[in-house]
Amino acid sequence: RKLIVTGDFNLRGIDWTNSIGMNNIENTFLNGFAELGLVQCIRDPTHSKGSILDILLTTSENSINNVQVQSDRSYCNSDHFPITFDIKIKCRRRKLPKRQRYNFAKADWANLNSDLANVSWE
């Protein structure tokens, strides 16, 4: 099963190249990611101060292509840089069950009106 996790984790003390954190919380995250078989795909800083705060983790690195940390802020106004990437997956669409639809153009409106007129509404 393939898993992709992305977001702003604010783990600014992690050295992603060597998978070392500066404190217990960061090392706990690194160990948890490793136990789940997750690999970090972001290699460049994602924050204006030079840290990799936004991460892209996956269990299937070959499913993620063209990872780019954008240098401009044309996508958003933030101190974080936008990240773009492609996901290579095959999807099977489930067929939805046919639902019942009524064709009101074929309704017997005269008979329906007659039946409703004979109902005692009180």
Side-chain angles (χ1 to χ4, degrees), residues 73-117:
R73 294 194 180 134
S74 60
Y75 295 103
C76 57
N77 185 17
S78 173
D79 55 349
H80 293 253
F81 303 127
I83 299 165
T84 59
F85 58 93
D86 298 324
I87 302 172
K88 184 174 62 173
I89 58 171
K90 291 182 182 178
C91 294
R92 285 185 297 173
R93 293 191 131 194
R94 276 192 278 164
K95 276 195 167 187
L96 297 174
K98 273 211 174 238
R99 61 186 175 121
Q100 187 174 9
R101 288 190 261 169
Y102 299 101
N103 186 347
F104 291 101
K106 293 184 176 182
D108 183 352
W109 293 107
N111 205 10
L112 179 62
N113 285 329
S114 173
D115 287 347
L116 291 173

Side-chain angles (χ1 to χ4, degrees), residues 30-47:
L30 284 169
N31 292 335
F33 298 152
E35 286 177 20
L36 293 171
L38 293 166
V39 177
Q40 163 66 305
C41 298
I42 306 286
R43 307 283 183 247
D44 300 318
T46 63
H47 191 264

Side-chain angles (χ1 to χ4, degrees), residues 6-17:
T6 187
D8 176 4
F9 280 64
N10 276 323
L11 301 170
R12 63 180 41 95
I14 292 181
D15 173 359
W16 288 103
T17 304

Side-chain angles (χ1 to χ4, degrees), residues 18-90:
N18 298 308
S19 295
I20 300 170
M22 291 182 66
N23 59 46
N24 191 37
I25 291 174
E26 292 170 346
N27 285 316
T28 300
F29 270 98
L30 284 169
N31 292 335
F33 298 152
E35 286 177 20
L36 293 171
L38 293 166
V39 177
Q40 163 66 305
C41 298
I42 306 286
R43 307 283 183 247
D44 300 318
T46 63
H47 191 264
S48 59
K49 293 185 180 176
S51 300
I52 298 177
L53 301 182
D54 305 280
I55 61 178
L56 172 60
L57 302 167
T58 183
T59 55
S60 178
E61 203 169 2
N62 59 355
S63 295
I64 305 294
N65 296 321
N66 200 26
V67 177
Q68 296 180 355
V69 178
Q70 305 295 319
S71 58
D72 65 14
R73 294 194 180 134
S74 60
Y75 295 103
C76 57
N77 185 17
S78 173
D79 55 349
H80 293 253
F81 303 127
I83 299 165
T84 59
F85 58 93
D86 298 324
I87 302 172
K88 184 174 62 173
I89 58 171
K90 291 182 182 178

